[in-house]
Amino acid sequence: MPQPAINPWVRRFEEADTPHLSAEVVICGYGGAGACAALEARRAGADVLVLERAAGGGGSTAMSSCEMYLGGSGGTRLQRDIGLADSTENMIAYLQECFGSQGDEERIRRYAEGAAEHFDWVEALGVPYKRAAFLERTVVPLSDESLLFTGNERAYPFNRIAEPVPRGHVPSKEGDEGGRMFMQALMATVEAEGVRIQANARVLALLQDDTGRVRGVVAKIDGTECNILASRAVILSAGGFIMNRAMLERYAPEVLPYGEPYGNQWDMGDGIQMGMAAGGNIINMNECFLSFAFYPPAKLTYGLLVNSGGQRFINEDAYLARLGHHAAQQRKQEVYLLVQNEDYEPTMYMESRRMAGTGDSIAEVEGEAGLPAGALQATVAYYNKHAEHNEDPLFHKAAEWVKPLDKPPYALISYSPQDVQYQLGDGPGYLMFTLGGLQVQTTGEVLSPAGRVIPGLFAAGRTAAGLPRTSAGYASGMSVGDASFFGRLAGCAAAGHVKAEG
Ligand SMILES: Cc1cc2nc3c(=O)[nH]c(=O)nc-3n(C[C@H](O)[C@H](O)[C@H](O)COP(=O)(O)OP(=O)(O)OC[C@H]3O[C@@H](n4cnc5c(N)ncnc54)[C@H](O)[C@@H]3O)c2cc1C
């Protein structure tokens, strides 16, 4: 008789040996989501144990710039202090346009309603935020301002739907150390308030009882498998699966030829696999953030992005993740930037691109690059005709970035994935991380395919399908913002079980 397949990610609680450890709330992963969940659960009175696979906490959140996408409620304290207003409805309108039918309306509303308070919570940890904005087109301010535009707010079609407001909040320090600053302040508070942390502890499996309730985990600590009971809840906050080649091949195979994984080494999808094994549903698994950071310098935005047919496909003033999404849709992901000499400077975040053609005329560039004869010339002629009047009727690039390309020499630079090497990437390709995971309620409770809650199981951060659902609408700050905000909600809800049942 065939034996049932053994699922390594879940074990029968009834068969578990004597537990080595126990807590009311057990958290798997001590990155941004896990630390926020731990602090809120602890503050609500729960005994909390965090298990972390690495030698210390931080995860991808500590590697990040820690831009958080926050606003609404009249404005965060930082927005208001520098004279900016931001209504919740304006933020919701923007976020809905970002994710369209892939967005989760309830999650968007909950986030927009709570984001300003979330800023206060983060600042109260001791994370410094300077009351100053950097409003030029960039990715991260390398000076010490704490507010910037991090998405498509000023670009078409978003600028027709919502009032553009800068919502990227970043810790203040020259350079790019926001994630480290945030996680240091957060972990110091978590530990000072009495959360127990066990590092070098890889969670291997969930313990689930015969009724379907999650009762704890099995973790490998110092080479020994330990049963750890969670009398109230387990929260999975183990990041996404961008470092797991087999999972990418299965769930997001289309990005593999052109994406370059961006994250910490333990973004192996363990949390997602455990949640699935316990009966959780997974959604949005084929979606990834894709970076096409051809800027800064901002003045490259005067150029034209074209595909292998010499045709434009996007307004060039869009945010890097939207550019990545649309670049990936072009035939063989072949994309080029046509730029005139006066606007040229090397792209800041990339070590290399490929010069596809140069010349004193568009025809010369087109010929050298091997584009179809006349195609690029037609594109530029049409663009220039309207640029004379500061208009872009095809893609609606904002007027400040529109001017005729009529000052040779010109260059056509290939930003096709195989020609692009980021400073932070190990190989060529567009930097990427995953946006799919366990389907959860806004409280973090994990849902089955039938929409039922898996008792005792929560998830947050990139282990869950959260606020950001597609690169087309992603803005910097939506992942750390989501992980920290919904991590807190999961911690509160898990502790709510303590209050209700304890
Ligand atoms: C360089 C870089 C810059 C970025 N900048 C930004 C930014 O400015 N703003 C933004 O919004 N997003 C940014 N992102 C994305 C963002 O940082 C992440 O998506 C987000 O921080 C993920 O948070 P998390 O809590 O889900 O995961 P993490 O912070 O990665 O935490 C997961 C933790 O779980 C642990 N873990 C994994 N498996 C196990 C296991 N089996 N048992 C125990 N522990 C386990 C990991 O070791 C890790 O510590 C950036 C990403 C990178 C790589």
Side-chain angles (χ1 to χ4, degrees):
M1 208 170 118
Q3 295 293 308
I6 295 170
N7 188 331
W9 298 105
V10 70
R11 297 189 196 172
R12 259 189 96 212
F13 171 74
E14 286 78 0
E15 288 174 15
D17 295 337
T18 321
H20 298 75
L21 286 167
S22 66
E24 288 171 320
V25 176
V26 172
I27 298 180
C28 168
Y30 194 24
C36 288
L39 187 53
E40 289 294 50
R42 180 76 196 120
R43 285 179 175 174
D47 170 34
V48 183
L49 173 66
V50 181
L51 303 166
E52 166 56 47
R53 178 174 186 174
S60 299
T61 311
M63 297 165 66
S64 80
S65 308
C66 195
E67 289 176 331
M68 285 198 206
Y69 199 80
L70 305 171
S73 303
T76 62
R77 202 176 291 268
L78 168 46
Q79 287 173 322
R80 282 186 279 116
D81 283 352
I82 58 174
L84 291 170
D86 188 10
S87 78
T88 302
E89 293 310 316
N90 189 44
M91 187 168 173
I92 289 173
Y94 178 75
L95 292 172
Q96 280 175 340
E97 183 64 20
C98 287
F99 302 121
S101 59
Q102 282 165 274
D104 177 332
E105 271 191 39
E106 194 188 340
R107 189 172 307 274
I108 286 174
R109 176 161 290 281
R110 191 81 190 256
Y111 186 77
E113 285 173 353
E117 181 277 334
H118 188 55
F119 174 76
D120 294 339
W121 188 89
V122 173
E123 194 170 40
L125 298 170
V127 183
Y129 288 93
K130 184 174 173 177
R131 271 43 185 169
F134 185 90
L135 298 179
E136 288 164 35
R137 176 163 161 79
T138 194
V139 176
V140 181
L142 297 177
S143 36
D144 64 355
E145 296 87 347
S146 282
L147 190 67
L148 70 158
F149 284 100
T150 57
N152 296 292
E153 300 85 355
R154 293 181 287 193
Y156 181 86
F158 303 88
N159 57 3
R160 308 265 168 105
I161 280 145
E163 185 69 28
V165 180
R167 299 198 181 96
H169 291 62
V170 61
S172 173
K173 188 161 193 276
E174 281 184 23
D176 186 2
E177 295 180 45
R180 186 188 56 75
M181 293 161 74
F182 170 63
M183 283 309 298
Q184 275 179 355
L186 177 58
M187 292 191 296
T189 310
V190 164
E191 288 158 41
E193 296 197 16
V195 172
R196 286 180 288 149
I197 309 295
Q198 177 68 59
N200 295 310
R202 180 181 181 187
V203 179
L204 301 172
L206 293 172
L207 287 172
Q208 191 172 30
D209 71 19
D210 290 344
T211 72
R213 185 177 186 88
V214 172
R215 297 283 193 164
V217 303
V218 181
K220 196 164 206 172
I221 305 174
D222 293 333
T224 305
E225 285 194 10
C226 304
N227 293 324
I228 300 170
L229 296 194
S231 58
R232 304 298 175 181
V234 171
I235 301 177
L236 298 171
S237 49
F241 61 97
I242 201 62
M243 295 299 170
N244 187 323
R245 176 97 194 171
M247 284 183 79
L248 287 173
E249 277 170 4
R250 176 158 191 187
Y251 297 112
E254 64 287 352
V255 299
L256 271 174
Y258 52 82
E260 172 61 21
Y262 190 47
N264 81 84
Q265 64 176 323
W266 302 130
D267 262 337
M268 293 293 287
D270 286 6
I272 296 171
Q273 306 213 67
M274 283 185 263
M276 283 166 72
N281 194 30
I282 48 170
I283 56 171
N284 216 47
M285 293 290 279
N286 61 332
E287 292 288 349
C288 290
F289 159 91
L290 287 168
S291 171
F292 187 99
F294 82 90
Y295 64 94
K299 64 181 183 175
L300 290 175
T301 311
Y302 290 117
L304 297 185
L305 286 170
V306 296
N307 57 22
S308 59
Q311 294 179 324
R312 291 176 73 207
F313 54 90
I314 184 80
N315 40 323
E316 293 80 4
D317 58 346
Y319 172 64
L320 56 86
R322 184 169 179 80
L323 295 172
H325 171 85
H326 285 276
Q329 316 272 310
Q330 305 310 306
R331 196 174 149 268
K332 294 188 183 165
Q333 292 80 42
E334 269 183 54
V335 284
Y336 305 91
L337 179 73
L338 177 70
V339 63
Q340 57 192 12
N341 197 39
E342 68 174 17
D343 300 323
Y344 181 72
E345 262 179 54
T347 288
M348 189 175 135
Y349 288 107
M350 293 175 185
E351 265 168 17
S352 58
R353 292 95 38 224
R354 183 175 63 82
M355 198 59 81
T358 53
D360 287 322
S361 70
I362 302 297
E364 208 181 328
V365 174
E366 181 183 87
E368 197 173 310
L371 297 188
L376 188 62
Q377 294 176 70
T379 294
V380 175
Y382 180 85
Y383 181 79
N384 281 354
K385 186 173 130 196
H386 294 281
E388 296 285 354
H389 311 288
N390 217 229
E391 285 167 2
D392 173 19
L394 266 190
F395 292 99
H396 310 284
K397 179 157 70 166
E400 65 173 304
W401 298 113
V402 176
K403 68 177 182 184
L405 271 74
D406 54 6
K407 294 192 181 62
Y410 307 101
L412 191 71
I413 306 162
S414 170
Y415 285 88
S416 304
Q418 69 275 12
D419 293 328
V420 161
Q421 173 72 54
Y422 277 88
Q423 284 149 7
L424 287 169
D426 288 334
Y430 302 152
L431 297 180
M432 62 169 180
F433 58 82
T434 54
L435 298 177
L438 294 167
Q439 187 178 11
V440 293
Q441 294 189 326
T442 55
T443 52
E445 287 161 291
V446 176
L447 297 172
S448 73
R452 279 195 289 275
V453 165
I454 312 281
L457 189 62
F458 293 74
R462 296 287 58 80
T463 300
L467 181 79
R469 293 288 170 97
T470 150
S471 198
Y474 188 91
S476 269
M478 286 183 176
S479 192
V480 175
D482 165 84
S484 54
F485 181 84
F486 289 103
R488 287 180 61 202
L489 293 196
C492 287
H497 282 225
V498 176
K499 279 183 181 160
E501 300 174 24

